[in-house]
Amino acid sequence: MLDLAVLGLLKEGDLHGYELNKRLKSLVGGYSTSFGALYPALARLERRGWVSSMAVAPELVVDDETAEPARKNRRRSTKSKSGRTRKVYHITEAGESYLLELLQEDANNERRFRLQLAFCRFLPPDRRLALFELRRAHLVSLQAMARRDPVQSTDPYVRSLFERDQERLEHDLAWLDRLIADERANRPQEPKTDDRHNSI
Amino acid sequence: MLDLAVLGLLKEGDLHGYELNKRLKSLVGGYSTSFGALYPALARLERRGWVSSMAVAPELVVDDETAEPARKNRRRSTKSKSGRTRKVYHITEAGESYLLELLQEDANNERRFRLQLAFCRFLPPDRRLALFELRRAHLVSLQAMARRDPVQSTDPYVRSLFERDQERLEHDLAWLDRLIADERANRPQEPKTDDRHNSI
DNA sequence: GGTTACATGTAACTAGTTACATGATTAG
DNA sequence: CTAATCATGTAACTAGTTACATGTAACC
């Protein structure tokens, strides 16, 4: 699942591992300071041809673009701070199509859906809507299951837990429905079935 | 974490693996049909002395232990249904105290807290309250983090995701506060600070 | 006589955490 | 000079899933 997160972030621009980790931390709560997962993942992604890497010497860090440089160190050389040579990763074409696949997978996994949502802007609108509907179907089936066999326990803590689950499900469904409604509203120019062919 | 779930269920009564799995499925949504995790876990729990097991022949299913496997009953009439010899597990004294430990651990893990709540009735009231407060503190710190550095993204999907997170956090905190209030209401005989010494 | 439910297990894999090793640069 | 931050990586561990192997017995 890290694959999805990493490819999604790299799709926006080249990054090195350390920076990726920081973005992961802020963008998608959960994938925190786990270099022990990130670096092996990057190595694997490269072996499979989904990303390519380039060693960049510390001196070359300098801001050509958006990054906010340290203003304090004007007196020092143009060198931006960087302890050692970094490996900057770049998503390949194969990586991009793999990302599109990952974005459309299952949706029965809470954590994965989180990531899919975080990067669903890279999907074509119809696929994005399909993803939302898939997730919705999953939540509805969970709700149906919960209703079919309700809590048999008389323990107040267990009951409270299950009540919270129900409320959370309802809340999530309402939220998803808003997402879906917005999605439909933003592209009303598709009254008929899609006539494009998708190869992925 | 399966340890917690298994010991919690066994504390209520002896069970065999297959039955444990069914209870896991219904009682605590999530731990479904995963025998591949359950059986190794049971073996481990037994090796460490937290549970003991006893082989029970299919014929003796009904009750009244005194397992006598040597005697093979040819009669099929009153036999309860059971495909093969089952291993019925029983929690030991060591297992019970380990369970109490597990019930008081961290609380920064969503899934674990779920299990802790499902079996917190086995905790003494003050410990149970402490568990709730611990969880509450965790949620509050999450909320503080989210407020300190808000979403920097302009992507509508990412923003929607983070808004849902916030709402969920608030909802969870309100729910926890109700739990805590109920807990205090049910034992008002402790108005001052605790003067007991805690050893665990 | 085939499907389903009961029952225990192993092997391989997915997914991630914690702790450690290493070393450069920079701010106080 | 020392702590923090930057930067990459490995090893060992935690936690669980999926698929398979094996067999009994009840249900229709």
Side-chain angles (χ1 to χ4, degrees):
Chain A
M1 242 148 46
L2 244 186
D3 289 10
L4 173 51
V6 166
L7 292 176
L9 284 173
L10 289 182
K11 170 110 181 179
E12 299 174 310
D14 299 353
L15 291 170
H16 58 279
Y18 194 84
E19 182 62 26
L20 263 169
N21 194 54
K22 283 200 296 186
R23 305 271 178 113
L24 247 42
K25 192 173 183 164
S26 66
L27 216 164
V28 191
Y31 295 94
S32 56
T33 329
S34 192
F35 293 112
L38 180 59
Y39 286 114
L42 284 170
R44 186 165 31 77
L45 287 172
E46 187 166 22
R47 274 202 307 279
R48 300 196 184 165
W50 292 322
V51 304
S52 60
S53 73
M54 195 173 47
V56 173
E59 289 80 10
L60 302 178
V61 168
V62 194
D63 47 294
D64 311 314
E65 38 184 343
T66 56
E68 187 183 348
R71 300 273 172 210
K72 307 170 189 172
N73 314 347
R74 285 296 174 161
R75 69 189 61 183
R76 294 217 179 261
S77 62
T78 51
K79 223 165 39 169
S80 184
K81 52 183 168 186
S82 165
R84 59 184 275 192
T85 308
R86 295 167 302 159
K87 275 174 84 172
V88 172
Y89 290 90
H90 173 82
I91 189 168
T92 64
E93 270 188 47
E96 297 213 4
S97 57
Y98 181 50
L99 173 59
L100 288 180
E101 272 180 57
L102 291 177
L103 284 172
Q104 293 171 75
E105 260 184 7
D106 279 3
N108 52 358
N109 182 318
E110 172 94 18
R111 215 163 163 184
R112 172 158 51 218
F113 181 68
R114 218 190 139 72
L115 288 170
Q116 289 172 323
L117 198 58
F119 299 114
C120 71
R121 62 176 172 283
F122 299 130
L123 283 175
D126 59 319
R127 297 299 181 164
R128 188 162 50 229
L129 189 55
L131 175 68
F132 295 171
E133 299 277 18
L134 209 67
R135 178 69 184 171
R136 188 177 195 287
H138 174 65
L139 292 187
V140 165
S141 89
L142 282 185
Q143 203 173 39
M145 269 208 305
R147 285 205 232 270
R148 208 177 44 233
D149 28 69
V151 218
Q152 73 282 35
S153 174
T154 58
D155 181 73
Y157 305 106
V158 171
R159 297 193 73 85
S160 179
L161 190 61
F162 276 68
E163 276 163 35
R164 190 204 56 165
D165 287 352
Q166 291 278 93
E167 285 164 20
R168 198 182 258 192
L169 254 179
E170 278 161 34
H171 188 271
D172 269 24
L173 271 170
W175 167 75
L176 240 187
D177 283 339
R178 280 199 304 275
L179 268 185
I180 290 172
D182 287 356
E183 200 63 22
R184 292 197 199 276
N186 288 338
R187 48 184 205 93
Q189 62 279 34
E190 194 200 24
K192 309 193 110 187
T193 55
D194 200 355
D195 54 346
R196 280 167 292 178
H197 282 83
N198 297 310
S199 53
I200 292 174
Chain B
M1 240 146 50
L2 245 186
D3 290 10
L4 172 52
V6 167
L7 292 176
L9 284 172
L10 289 182
K11 169 111 181 177
E12 298 175 312
D14 299 353
L15 290 171
H16 59 277
Y18 194 84
E19 181 63 25
L20 264 168
N21 194 53
K22 283 201 297 187
R23 305 271 178 114
L24 248 42
K25 193 172 182 165
S26 67
L27 215 163
V28 191
Y31 295 94
S32 55
T33 329
S34 191
F35 293 112
L38 179 59
Y39 286 114
L42 284 170
R44 185 165 33 77
L45 287 172
E46 187 166 21
R47 275 201 306 278
R48 300 195 184 167
W50 292 322
V51 304
S52 60
S53 74
M54 195 171 49
V56 173
E59 288 81 7
L60 302 175
V61 166
V62 192
D63 56 347
D64 286 349
E65 67 290 341
T66 6
E68 200 175 339
R71 175 178 171 178
K72 227 178 178 181
N73 230 341
R74 304 156 196 90
R75 245 175 19 155
R76 290 181 187 148
S77 50
T78 54
K79 243 183 354 187
S80 183
K81 52 183 168 186
S82 166
R84 60 183 275 193
T85 308
R86 296 167 301 158
K87 274 174 85 173
V88 172
Y89 290 90
H90 173 80
I91 189 168
T92 63
E93 269 188 47
E96 298 213 3
S97 58
Y98 181 50
L99 173 59
L100 287 180
E101 272 181 58
L102 292 177
L103 284 172
Q104 293 172 77
E105 259 183 7
D106 280 3
N108 51 358
N109 182 317
E110 173 94 17
R111 214 163 164 185
R112 171 160 50 218
F113 180 69
R114 217 191 138 71
L115 288 170
Q116 288 172 323
L117 198 57
F119 299 114
C120 71
R121 62 177 172 283
F122 297 131
L123 283 175
D126 60 319
R127 298 300 181 164
R128 187 162 50 230
L129 188 56
L131 175 68
F132 295 172
E133 299 277 19
L134 209 67
R135 178 67 184 172
R136 190 178 192 286
H138 174 66
L139 292 187
V140 165
S141 89
L142 282 185
Q143 202 173 39
M145 270 207 305
R147 284 205 232 272
R148 208 175 46 233
D149 27 70
V151 219
Q152 73 282 37
S153 175
T154 58
D155 180 74
Y157 306 106
V158 171
R159 297 192 72 85
S160 180
L161 191 61
F162 276 69
E163 277 163 35
R164 190 203 55 164
D165 287 352
Q166 292 277 93
E167 285 165 20
R168 198 183 258 193
L169 253 179
E170 278 161 34
H171 188 271
D172 269 23
L173 271 170
W175 167 77
L176 240 187
D177 283 340
R178 281 199 303 276
L179 268 186
I180 289 171
D182 287 356
E183 201 61 22
R184 291 195 200 278
N186 289 338
R187 47 185 204 91
Q189 60 279 38
E190 194 198 29
K192 309 194 106 186
T193 55
D194 201 353
D195 54 347
R196 281 167 292 177
H197 285 83
N198 299 313
S199 53
I200 293 179

